[in-house]
Amino acid sequence: MNDRDPNKAVGPDDLPSNMRPLVQGAKRTDRASGGEADGRRQTGGRAVQRRRQAPSLSGGDGAGTKQSADTKQSAAALLVKLALDRYRFGCTPEGEAFGVPKASGHIVRMLRGSRTSLRAELARLYRQKTHLVAPQQALADAMLTLEGEAQDTEPEPVHLRIAEAAGALWLDLGDADETVIRVDSQGWQPAASAPLLFRRTALTAAMPAPIAGTMDELWTLLNVTAEDRPLVLGWLVAALAAPNIPHPIAALFGEQGTGKSTASRLLTELVDPSTVPLRKPPRDMDSWVTAASGSWVVGIDNLSAVHDWLSDTLCRAVTGDGDVRR
């Protein structure tokens, strides 16, 4: 019989001597495992702490997004203000929006189009005002707002190079000074303004200031027989002095090397100087509409064949009818 008290806890001293090291090793292992568990709890606590801090980073990004939106809105508002301070806005009978400088109001800036459009000019004004580059989205928002302003006006006709008004013919020289030539029964004279609106395109080039002269100088440059010279003069009068009548087509024929291209270029430059005075034949209706809408005179070089669609299109252009791009 064992006389050990049953209510007393069993300790290492109560075990045989050969089993005591095993029990002590087991306790050390338990303490080590407990330390690893504590370490895992601490590590888990740090992970939770990092996850709780994540919303503060997300909040910072939201504030940056809001600040960026405010900056974009401010840029668009400034662009609109710059435009309204400098331009009066309107639209053509075809619904195209434009702006007219308040300082000199006869050369319009179309809102949409090439390098001559108002968008490029507004970007330049914004750079001069803020020393920053205008954001693309701010420019788009500003142009949409200005187009709405323009559409809320009565349509006004806008002319290209030549027009009639107030009993006179007006010729836009296309120069940087926006000079126009007034022609009436008393003669011609340069003017700084006109009672009508002109537009310019990327194909519009400047004409030299006119001087007095004779037609004899023209015939020294053109290889045209004396019998055909009245036809050339009639074409020039119709192109320069009668913008509202059907206009004849000048067709130059001759053998290779007789100066057809040179004569076509000179006649085009005489009436409507362009960065591209002669062009290749249009391949379809859309390319013709693009060419015809950008110039008062369209010079076509090396036209080997006239297809049915081109023949019909040229007839409509002669009478003043138009084609609409699909």
Side-chain angles (χ1 to χ4, degrees):
M1 294 291 295
N2 187 354
D3 57 357
R4 184 180 62 83
D5 186 358
N7 296 324
K8 183 179 178 181
V10 179
D13 294 337
D14 297 324
L15 297 174
S17 59
N18 59 346
M19 295 183 64
R20 292 175 185 174
L22 297 176
V23 174
Q24 292 174 355
K27 288 186 176 182
R28 285 194 298 269
T29 302
D30 290 343
R31 284 194 298 270
S33 300
E36 291 178 359
D38 292 341
R40 283 194 297 270
R41 285 194 295 270
Q42 292 175 1
T43 303
R46 287 194 295 271
V48 171
Q49 184 179 8
R50 285 195 295 269
R51 285 194 294 270
R52 288 177 180 174
Q53 291 176 350
S56 64
L57 295 176
S58 177
D61 290 342
T65 302
K66 182 177 184 299
Q67 183 179 4
S68 176
D70 292 341
T71 302
K72 181 184 69 174
Q73 292 174 0
S74 299
L78 178 57
L79 286 166
V80 172
K81 183 179 184 303
L82 289 172
L84 293 177
D85 288 344
R86 289 167 172 78
Y87 299 94
R88 172 183 70 84
F89 288 90
C91 66
T92 67
E94 295 76 24
E96 295 180 293
F98 61 81
V100 186
K102 294 179 179 179
S104 57
H106 65 277
I107 304 295
V108 306
R109 274 70 165 169
M110 307 304 293
L111 263 66
R112 300 183 182 276
S114 60
R115 56 181 175 83
T116 60
S117 67
L118 188 62
R119 181 187 180 100
E121 193 159 340
L122 280 183
R124 179 179 59 82
L125 291 173
Y126 184 88
R127 178 72 177 86
Q128 292 175 350
K129 179 75 173 179
T130 65
H131 303 288
L132 298 173
V133 177
Q136 291 298 317
Q137 187 58 49
L139 273 171
D141 294 343
M143 298 306 292
L144 186 61
T145 301
L146 295 174
E147 189 168 0
E149 292 280 341
Q151 298 295 340
D152 196 27
T153 62
E154 289 295 326
E156 300 178 68
V158 177
H159 307 277
L160 182 63
R161 187 66 82 175
I162 299 171
E164 285 183 311
L169 177 74
W170 301 86
L171 174 66
D172 175 27
L173 290 185
D175 59 356
D177 295 331
E178 301 184 354
T179 307
V180 291
I181 301 298
R182 175 191 170 100
V183 183
D184 56 20
S185 58
Q186 304 300 318
W188 59 267
Q189 59 181 350
S193 62
L196 70 171
L197 299 177
F198 285 101
R199 67 180 176 93
R200 295 175 179 177
T201 71
L203 296 174
T204 303
M207 298 180 72
I211 59 175
T214 66
M215 296 303 299
D216 294 336
E217 300 176 16
L218 177 63
W219 307 131
T220 62
L221 301 175
L222 297 179
N223 184 20
V224 179
T225 63
E227 293 79 9
D228 291 334
R229 289 175 183 178
L231 296 176
V232 176
L233 288 176
W235 181 86
L236 288 173
V237 170
L240 280 170
N244 297 323
I245 67 169
H247 293 87
I249 297 176
L252 280 68
F253 298 94
E255 297 180 0
Q256 182 178 1
T258 55
K260 300 184 299 297
S261 297
T262 300
S264 299
R265 183 180 296 106
L266 287 174
L267 291 175
T268 301
E269 295 279 359
L270 184 61
V271 177
D272 183 29
S274 172
T275 55
V276 187
L278 293 182
R279 306 163 213 182
K280 63 181 181 180
R283 64 180 181 276
D284 52 29
M285 184 76 71
D286 288 347
S287 59
W288 164 259
V289 171
T290 301
S293 63
S295 301
W296 176 246
V297 176
V298 181
I300 301 176
D301 194 21
N302 295 325
L303 184 61
S304 302
V306 179
H307 301 286
D308 291 342
W309 69 266
L310 181 56
S311 176
D312 295 340
T313 297
L314 292 176
C315 291
R316 286 192 294 271
V318 164
T319 58
D321 294 335
D323 292 304
V324 178
R325 183 184 303 172
R326 293 187 296 272

